[in-house]
Amino acid sequence: MAERKRTWDKEDDLPVYLARPGTTDQVPRQKYGGMFCNVEGAYESKTIDFDALSVGQRSARSPKSIQDGSQDGRSTDSEPGSICTDKGTGGHEEGHSGIDIKTTGGKEILQNLDELKSDRLLIKGGRIVNDDQSFYADIYMEDGLIKQIGDNLIVPGGVKIIEANGKMVIPGGIDIHTHFQMPYRGTTTVDDFSQGTKAALAGGTTMIVDHVIPDPGASLIEAFERWREWADDKACCDYSLHVDITHWSDSAKQEVETLVKEKGVNSFLVYMAYKDLFQMTNSELYDIFTFLGELGAVVQVHAENGEIIAQEQARMLEMGITGPEGHVLSRPEELEAEAVFRAITIASQTNCPLYVTKVMSKSAADIISQARKKGNVVFGEPISASLGTDGTHYWSKNWAKAASFVTSPPLSPDPTTPDYLNSLLASGDLNVTGSSHCTFSTAQKAIGKDDFTQIPEGVNGVEERMAIIWDKAVVTGKMDENMFVAVTSTNAAKILNLYPRKGRIAVGSDSDLVIWDCDAVRTITAKTHNSAAEYNVFEGMELRGAPLVVICQGKIVLEDGNLHATSGTGRFIPCTPFPDFAYKRVKARKQLAVLRAVPRGMYDGPVSDFTPMSRGGTPAASARTSPTKQSVPVRNLHQSGFSLAGNPAQRGEPICLFIHSHVHAAVLRS
Amino acid sequence: QSDRLIIKGGKIVNDDQSFYADVYVEDGIIKQIGENLIVPGGVKTIDAYGHIVIPGGIDVNTCLHMPYLGMTPADDFYHGTKAALAGGTTMIIDHVLPEPGSSLLAAYDQWRDIADKKSCCDYSLHMDITHWHEGHIEELEALVKDKGVNSFLVFMAYKDMYQCSDSQIYEILSILRDLGAIAQVHAENGDIIQEEQKRLLDLGITGPEGHVLSHPEEVETEAVYRVLTIAKQANCPLYITKVMSKTSADVIAQARRKGMVVYGEPITASLGTDGSHYWSKNWVKAAAFVMSPPVNPDPSTPDYLNSLLSCGDLQVTGSAHCTFTTAQKAVGKDNFTLIPEGTNGIEERMSVVWEKSVATGKMDENEFVAVTSTNAAKIFNLYPRKGRIAVGSDADIVIWNTKETKIISAKSHNLTVECNIFEGMECHGAPVVVISQGKIVLEAEKLSVTEGSGRFIPRKTFPDYVYKRIKARNRLADIRGVPRGLYDGPVHDVTTATKAVAPTPTSRGSACPGKAQMVPVRNLHQSGFTLSGNQMDDHIPRRTAQRIVAPPGGRSNITSLS
């Protein structure tokens, strides 16, 4: 970040033809035609006023944006709220020359207009950051939609104006993996949809995608409806749902089809772990992948080898290891990598896009990036916990602390893992981030106090997700702000097929926006977080970057650290199948991958006697019947003069004949 | 024929060095090596000037008596070993394949019986575990301790027939590690194969090309990766039979780089030819190539595998020789899944490796000896009795002519089958004299073998080559629990404990060992150890970005949560 800011200053000195309006990034790729594109309508729905962005006017804005970072960062200090801003960290701003603050702070304006209860919002002077480019423009919102983007917008009266003062305006985060209000053995996670989405909003996430976990054998649709009910009652932000396939049968198949076609679910999770509970066999995985591939849904996997885990757990308990360290010892990262490898193999066989949830270890991430290099359509989702912390705490003497880290796959004890995963996220080998937020109170975790296999699994992370990635990846220079938007929001929206409604700041998109303060510093602690859990796995971490204002469905829900979220305002966002992001390539490959049999004459030589396969064996019924379909063309070929023998005179000695043809083939090849 | 032989003037090639010396053989054992040897009279002299003298080849993977649908391979122990000797291989290790569910010992006895009657060269046996249940443990012990079998094969393919689940493999590997035996795997994902077979038959693809299409390379690679993971967990050495593709060889090479004790066995077919013939218009020819994992359609595979063999990432070569006549293969004429699987290669193995690796300059003659003979002897605990030319070793010796050129053809091979998958291949390098058990069996292109002269060579457990490292790791791999105070905070009530618990009986049944741990834990608690306050691990710097503002110790007391 710091580097980028410095370039803004320099930009003023650049010649007119070099200085670019609105952005200091490299020239963004023009998606709809280049600079000289004169195709009619090429700039439709992009109401950027190019004149306003011209070189001459830009210089007036940029210095303003630099100084205000510090101003707003400080101003939030006084507010008692969820964001604790560290006063002592002026260090980041030292790089800027001391310019006086000229503009009025954003918050006064906000507060003045707050009484109007207007649905109309105008964000002035923000730097809009999408996944492809950044530029300065104002945003006008009405009825929860972005209506206009550009400079000098003509807006009606009674508009609440937010002065962004050059701060980043990004699409609200999408947390693609949460478990709010998840039932577990008669209890539920402490963060319900209300608490959880509040925490999400506080962290700059304006949409969550929760997992529906039906009991094995129970109806998927019923479970889905139950989750809908819970979420509709309580959610404070928009949400969507994944459905976990916990058992596989014909009825489940039908239900999946209904969910895709009528209920707006386009992603399903299958488990390779949790033996005797959720785990699927390889054949079932193959079947599910094939089925979902045809429906155009995204297949997600929880990738861990459940069989070996069960064995290892038994071994650990036998050795007398009952504490949380047994959890990580019984789930070594190799088992995660193995399952990822297997899932990718099956997906590649079935030509189905794959989404690996919870990438927790280096080796699993490596497998994914290797597979991507080979051309497999696979997406990896690291979570807040794997990006922000490591698994050394499983050996903590404090049982409750150690237990709070228990999640599956476990956090890798290798302390270099977070850094590595952030690098892969920055390079695009991993694509999206979730939080897998699933919190239990210490009392709930204590169900497993004498046996680590009974500890309810899950860590927090919905609130911290955006800030962790900003701190670990953007501040360290691994990724730029555009990539940040891509991994926290845009890619998720693309996979869910919600793009560009979500995940982009564009005319017509939902007005889920975050004004991001790059310089705010806050310390994560369970004392101040918005989750109901007593422990925070990121306890004590100092993170740079925090949301300053969060706008969800066109309403300001966070300002000055005050959260104004209303339970039940969240809408269910239905997802449609065949997301382009995942399926375009798969469709093309389907057209190519047509298998053809080799037309051969009928074999009419001797056949040995054999005892038919009595038990098991290879596919029996279908195998024997299907060849009849093929027999007609084969016979035709045979009749049309093609013969095995080549020279009928030598029919008596088939051995020689075959050799004959073989030699010919060899000669031809060589 | 004399029992006393002297080989004169040849260059002796072992896996570590080559030198010029004469070899004197008596009673089937090498008695002297050196120059100007003093030997008794009546000694037959073999002239080896200009040739190299190498230890006889060991073919680690043959299936000369594998039953399939009531048929047995066309090349039985007699024809198979005869062909082996003709190609310079003086010992084979055959796979015993018991009927699933039947006794392993009974199958062992059956194989011993047949092989003792028919085999022309020394042999040993691998045992295939076709069906796993607890009762087999005793049989495994008996085989290892009394019967001289130290290697066992498990199948990850052939669903509903031989296939083992992951937990079964884990159990078997743990047992084999304790017994000191070698775990071999047939690595292919049987579940996916079955699905693919169904799909292809539904598409109307019934010919041999369906075989290779239903056994894609990824499926082999996946299984190799999986079994490596399991072996790592079980701390068990692993031996992958039939490495047929580049990617699975890569996975093995990577695992070795990570320190795993794993061995890969490419076979004659994967080193010498490729799978493009599956699409041959000639059904008979296409069917001759059918084996699992299939010969890879990528024509660059043989070259690649030879390179890995040369650099030591793959260590041994077998042939997986298991031949069926065309009439037998024709059982699957309308359905590729019924085609009996197996290719030839027992006779061609040495020549193919020489041609592809030594003649091309990938490996030298010492490495050639290592991959065709010495490494196999070491892994299966036959060294230095086999696999080396040294005083006291068995007189299994091959005099190898590096200049001779031979064209492989079904017309001239020593097998009974009509097709040879290496048909037309030109090989530089061939055995001129083969000595097995101190007797000349091949000389001047004349093969003189005796049916039933082969002896069973029992093998001991814990081969050093394999188990030295494993033993050291076993000593290190000691896992300890963290001593903690007893948790005395609130515990949430669990209503439905019966269902929805991840690990089932095994884990709960073993709750009792936990009691053993209780005593020290309680002592610790009583001895003034408190949960609150600074943590033991607080001083360890974990994350650079972490600056602890409020010491977590202040809040970490689990009984007084804010």
Side-chain angles (χ1 to χ4, degrees), chain A residues 14-54:
Chain A
L14 288 174
V16 163
Y17 52 85
L18 277 182
R20 279 186 44 76
T23 173
T24 55
D25 276 330
Q26 283 189 322
V27 183
R29 199 177 123 244
Q30 295 286 331
K31 286 194 171 172
Y32 307 97
M35 207 167 167
F36 305 103
C37 174
N38 57 358
V39 174
E40 210 176 335
Y43 296 106
E44 224 167 49
S45 78
K46 292 176 205 56
T47 52
I48 303 166
D49 185 350
F50 283 90
D51 288 334
L53 291 171
S54 66

Side-chain angles (χ1 to χ4, degrees), chain B residues 363-477:
Chain B
M363 63 168 74
D364 59 29
E365 57 200 19
N366 303 93
E367 280 160 348
F368 173 73
V369 168
V371 299
T372 55
S373 177
T374 313
N375 288 350
K378 283 178 177 170
I379 291 173
F380 294 106
N381 225 355
L382 295 163
Y383 190 79
R385 181 179 173 184
K386 303 277 183 191
R388 186 170 184 85
I389 295 184
V391 174
S393 297
D394 278 2
D396 288 351
I397 298 169
V398 172
I399 297 173
W400 190 265
N401 183 348
T402 57
K403 292 169 194 91
E404 193 173 307
T405 304
K406 215 169 77 172
I407 292 173
I408 298 173
S409 163
K411 276 182 210 159
S412 56
H413 69 194
N414 288 287
L415 303 168
T416 55
V417 289
E418 304 93 331
C419 273
N420 190 313
I421 58 167
F422 307 104
E423 189 71 44
M425 187 172 158
E426 200 179 85
C427 289
H428 304 82
V432 280
V433 177
V434 176
I435 298 161
S436 170
Q437 299 177 33
K439 292 191 180 63
I440 298 172
V441 291
L442 177 80
E443 193 180 18
E445 313 229 336
K446 267 175 67 186
L447 204 55
S448 48
V449 298
T450 322
E451 192 166 352
S453 62
R455 300 164 299 179
F456 174 73
I457 311 286
R459 292 176 289 129
K460 288 206 179 68
T461 52
F462 290 108
D464 269 356
Y465 189 62
V466 178
Y467 266 93
K468 263 187 193 157
R469 284 177 285 170
I470 295 288
K471 280 180 190 164
R473 288 175 201 188
N474 262 340
R475 283 194 293 270
L476 263 185

Side-chain angles (χ1 to χ4, degrees), chain A residues 376-388:
Chain A
N376 288 329
V377 182
V378 52
F379 306 102
E381 165 209 281
I383 63 169
S384 320
S386 60
L387 292 168

Side-chain angles (χ1 to χ4, degrees), chain A residues 185-187 215 274-277 282-283 286 305 307-308 311-321 323-325 329 332 334-335 337-338 341-342 345-346 348-349 367 388-390 392-400 402 442-444 446-447 449 453-454 471-472 523 526-527 534-535 539-542 595-600 603 606-613 615-619 622-624 626-627 629-630 644 655 658-659 661-662 665 669, chain B residues 68-71 100 159-161 165-167 170-171 189 191-192 194-209 213 216 218-219 221-222 225-226 229-230 232-233 277-286 326-328 330-331 333-335 337-338 410-411 418 420 423 479-484 487 490-492 494-497 500-504 506-507 510 513 517 531 535-537 542-543 545-547 549 555-556 558 561:
Chain A
R185 293 170 67 184
T187 161
D215 287 331
Y274 305 107
K275 196 184 176 189
D276 301 329
L277 186 66
N282 291 338
S283 313
Y286 186 98
N305 188 319
E307 303 236 351
I308 307 301
Q311 297 271 1
E312 291 282 335
Q313 283 178 336
R315 190 166 73 96
M316 291 301 153
L317 289 171
E318 259 169 45
M319 291 168 72
I321 295 175
E325 68 277 14
L329 289 172
E334 285 90 348
L335 300 186
E338 186 280 316
F341 197 98
R342 183 149 43 102
T345 307
I346 299 175
S348 131
Q349 283 312 305
I367 301 278
T389 182
D390 61 58
T392 49
H393 302 280
Y394 288 115
W395 281 269
S396 165
K397 293 271 184 185
N398 179 343
W399 187 91
T442 302
Q444 287 170 324
I447 292 168
K449 70 187 166 65
T453 63
Q454 311 290 319
D471 185 76
K472 295 270 179 185
T523 307
K527 278 182 203 155
E534 298 103 326
Y535 271 86
E539 186 73 39
M541 267 177 89
E542 263 188 22
L595 297 173
R596 279 194 202 83
V598 176
R600 290 192 184 90
Y603 176 86
V607 178
S608 290
D609 286 338
F610 66 102
T611 44
M613 246 176 260
R615 36 172 290 135
T618 27
S622 62
R624 299 248 170 77
S626 49
K629 292 173 199 160
Q630 183 71 0
L644 266 181
I655 303 166
F658 299 135
I659 293 159
S661 61
H662 195 134
R669 272 190 303 133
Chain B
Y68 178 78
L69 300 180
M71 305 179 295
K159 198 179 180 192
D160 302 328
M161 256 207 313
S165 72
D166 289 357
S167 1
Y170 181 91
E171 272 173 47
N189 188 321
D191 294 330
I192 302 181
Q194 194 191 40
E195 300 284 340
E196 291 283 331
Q197 284 177 336
K198 272 186 219 158
R199 188 169 70 96
L200 288 164
L201 288 171
D202 286 344
L203 285 170
I205 296 175
T206 59
E209 69 276 14
L213 291 172
E218 289 92 337
V219 165
T221 313
E222 187 280 312
Y225 195 91
R226 179 150 45 103
T229 309
I230 298 173
K232 169 109 195 275
Q233 286 311 305
H277 304 279
Y278 287 113
W279 282 269
S280 165
K281 293 266 186 190
N282 181 341
W283 189 91
V284 174
K285 186 180 162 190
T326 301
Q328 286 174 320
V331 164
K333 69 188 165 66
D334 301 320
N335 179 349
T337 65
L338 294 176
K411 276 182 210 159
E418 304 93 331
N420 190 313
E423 189 71 44
I479 301 172
R480 279 189 207 87
V482 176
R484 289 193 184 90
Y487 177 86
V491 178
H492 204 279
V494 180
T495 46
T496 52
V501 187
T504 32
T506 43
S507 55
S510 50
Q517 185 78 351
L531 277 173
Q535 299 301 310
M536 276 286 281
D537 51 352
R542 289 208 184 81
R543 284 151 289 158
Q546 181 178 18
R547 264 171 262 163
V549 176
R555 299 182 25 79
S556 58
I558 51 180
L561 292 158

